[in-house]
Amino acid sequence: SEKLKIYAVDQWNNRTEDMIIDVEIKVKTQLVKKLEPLNPSKIRNVNRGNVVALVIGIETYSDAPKATYANRDAEFFAEYARYAFGTSRDNVKLLIDKEASLATIFRSLEQWLPSKIQEDQTDVVLFFAGHGLASNDGKDLYLLAHDSARDLLSRTALSRKELFQLINKHNPKSVKVFFDACYSGQTR
């Protein structure tokens, strides 16, 4: 049990009045069944079909705070895509930090990925670790590229809607998308 003082500050530094709240956390645990610890390295894909993976990890941005561990997560996921989804090395595209500029991401989505997709036969796997940001009105969600400008999202970041359109227009057999990005506005 404790008392917390909370307040809110918007992007223009307008601040609400302080509010005191009482916090009480009641913890009740019950062990139902013990599960074996997860170990992704044990996963072996049973379907070694036509799979392509685009993996993006951006830890260091030119106009945003650091996204700690994003590069490492992307590198691990690229290997995981090979083991879990059966993606061959030639069908994994890994973009890290400066390699993940907006132009390079679009080039990967509009040239590299379509060259790998066979309509209704290819499984597409997409992984993104880095910053996400919502538009000011909250209607659109964007993934920040290494060189995105946070105040010009619609021109310098990748819209999630556009991302899905670019992939789906090639009619892959399936699409699996993993986002390790929040849209809380912390990068503003």
Side-chain angles (χ1 to χ4, degrees), residues 38-46 48 79-86:
L38 296 177
N39 185 350
S41 65
K42 287 185 177 180
I43 295 174
R44 292 291 184 250
N45 179 39
V46 292
R48 293 224 172 248
E79 284 301 309
Y80 180 76
R82 291 185 48 241
Y83 289 110
F85 301 113

Side-chain angles (χ1 to χ4, degrees), residues 12-164:
W12 298 281
N13 285 328
N14 296 318
R15 180 182 164 147
T16 64
E17 293 184 28
D18 292 351
M19 179 185 226
I20 306 292
I21 61 168
D22 291 319
V23 177
E24 186 175 329
I25 300 173
K26 296 180 181 179
V27 178
K28 181 181 177 184
T29 60
Q30 179 181 358
L31 186 62
V32 177
K33 179 181 176 183
K34 187 169 180 167
L35 299 174
E36 182 181 332
L38 296 177
N39 185 350
S41 65
K42 287 185 177 180
I43 295 174
R44 292 291 184 250
N45 179 39
V46 292
N47 177 15
R48 293 224 172 248
N50 187 349
V51 183
V52 62
L54 176 58
V55 180
I56 302 168
I58 309 169
E59 188 167 312
T60 307
Y61 285 86
S62 59
D63 183 41
K66 193 171 187 173
T68 307
Y69 306 120
N71 293 354
R72 189 186 67 177
D73 292 347
E75 289 167 351
F76 282 139
F77 192 89
E79 284 301 309
Y80 180 76
R82 291 185 48 241
Y83 289 110
F85 301 113
T87 312
S88 69
R89 284 192 193 276
D90 294 340
N91 281 354
V92 176
K93 179 116 175 154
L94 176 62
L95 302 175
I96 299 288
D97 276 347
K98 289 181 181 179
E99 298 168 351
S101 68
L102 189 64
T104 305
I105 292 171
F106 273 113
R107 188 173 292 118
S108 299
L109 289 167
E110 295 187 27
Q111 295 174 353
W112 180 81
L113 196 59
S115 74
K116 301 287 185 178
I117 294 175
Q118 295 174 354
E119 192 170 319
D120 296 321
Q121 295 178 31
T122 304
D123 295 310
V124 174
V125 178
L126 173 72
F127 177 85
F128 177 89
H131 287 307
L133 198 55
S135 59
N136 285 334
D137 62 9
K139 292 182 180 178
D140 294 313
L141 298 175
Y142 293 89
L143 300 172
L144 296 184
H146 169 75
D147 55 350
S148 292
R150 294 174 289 166
D151 55 346
L152 293 171
L153 289 177
S154 64
R155 295 188 182 270
T156 65
L158 178 61
S159 159
R160 282 196 343 181
K161 288 179 192 171
E162 185 175 13
L163 170 68
F164 295 140

